[in-house]
Amino acid sequence: MSISFKDIRKAAKKSKEIAGSSKSESEEKKEIPALVLNPRPDFGQNLDYFKLKIDTGTVHYIPEYLTEDEEKLLLEHIYSQPVERWSFLKYASRRLQKWGGTVMAEGLQDPEPLPGFLQPIAERLENDGVLSFCPNHVLLNEYPPNIGIMPHEDGPLYTPQVAILSIRSYIILNF
């Protein structure tokens, strides 16, 4: 089964209609448990094990960085966000959520703290030595089947380090 952008827009419209219905707030919003990450081995000591041999710089591939249960809970949090939190990319047939602010050429605009469901992941990335800092910005991209993005370079605000976490599917990256 494939999902088209048209289907996503219909679902978003339906979400808005439901949100405007007469249900009480407690009926509308199901309480989702907090995302608590289980301790992991110290990747900072063993990060070289995950290093890929490519000529474009240092790239690490860490399979199953989140457990299956952690992924499921993260997805519950992502999909429980109000439809207004999603940006629909009309010509790309996909949608995304921006957290922490908006990246502009001038820097991070309208900064905000990461939500509780993303902060533990940001902290783990730093604590495990995957990143040398705790991330303050997250883009959650949702790609329907057979939809990807064209080759591109991210701006200087995304350097020198980024982390890509793929859940629910594998990804192919060309450098």
Side-chain angles (χ1 to χ4, degrees), residues 1 122 139 155 170 175:
M1 181 175 120
L139 288 178
Y170 63 88
F175 294 94

Side-chain angles (χ1 to χ4, degrees), residues 35-38 40 43 62-75 78 117-118 120-122 124-125 128 140 164-168:
L35 181 62
V36 177
L37 300 181
N38 298 318
R40 298 287 304 232
F43 286 112
I62 304 172
E64 300 175 19
Y65 191 66
L66 295 180
T67 67
E68 190 174 324
D69 288 341
E70 290 167 347
E71 283 186 17
K72 285 178 184 176
L73 188 54
L74 176 59
L75 287 168
I78 291 169
F117 69 94
L118 291 175
I121 297 169
R124 179 190 273 181
L125 289 167
D128 287 348
L140 296 172
I164 298 170
L165 183 63
S166 179
I167 53 178
R168 291 183 61 190

Side-chain angles (χ1 to χ4, degrees), residues 10-171:
K10 282 182 188 175
K13 185 177 178 184
K14 186 71 174 167
S15 293
K16 283 183 181 178
E17 290 170 6
I18 290 171
S21 72
S22 60
K23 289 183 181 180
S24 73
E25 212 173 289
S26 62
E27 289 175 317
E28 285 183 20
K29 190 150 184 162
K30 172 181 123 177
E31 188 67 34
I32 300 171
L35 181 62
V36 177
L37 300 181
N38 298 318
R40 298 287 304 232
D42 182 4
F43 286 112
Q45 299 295 324
N46 304 311
L47 205 52
D48 283 344
Y49 176 79
F50 300 102
K51 193 177 208 178
L52 301 180
K53 294 179 174 138
I54 62 173
D55 294 333
T56 58
T58 304
V59 176
H60 296 88
Y61 169 68
I62 304 172
E64 300 175 19
Y65 191 66
L66 295 180
T67 67
E68 190 174 324
D69 288 341
E70 290 167 347
E71 283 186 17
K72 285 178 184 176
L73 188 54
L74 176 59
L75 287 168
E76 279 189 65
H77 282 281
I78 291 169
Y79 288 112
S80 72
Q81 299 308 307
V83 72
E84 295 81 19
R85 196 68 209 199
W86 290 93
S87 296
F88 292 86
L89 305 177
K90 182 176 167 184
Y91 298 107
S93 299
R94 62 186 180 90
R95 64 185 186 159
L96 64 88
Q97 292 180 25
K98 295 178 192 175
W99 293 98
T102 301
V103 174
M104 306 292 283
E106 308 80 41
L108 194 59
Q109 303 296 309
D110 303 320
E112 64 179 357
L114 292 180
F117 69 94
L118 291 175
Q119 192 62 40
I121 297 169
E123 291 170 3
R124 179 190 273 181
L125 289 167
E126 180 182 31
N127 293 338
D128 287 348
V130 175
L131 296 174
S132 62
F133 57 89
C134 189
N136 62 352
H137 180 259
V138 174
L139 288 178
L140 296 172
N141 289 286
E142 178 187 62
Y143 297 96
N146 301 315
I147 299 292
I149 57 175
M150 298 300 294
H152 69 283
E153 289 185 22
D154 291 325
L157 295 174
Y158 288 99
T159 59
Q161 299 177 330
V162 298
I164 298 170
L165 183 63
S166 179
I167 53 178
R168 291 183 61 190
S169 181
Y170 63 88
I171 59 171

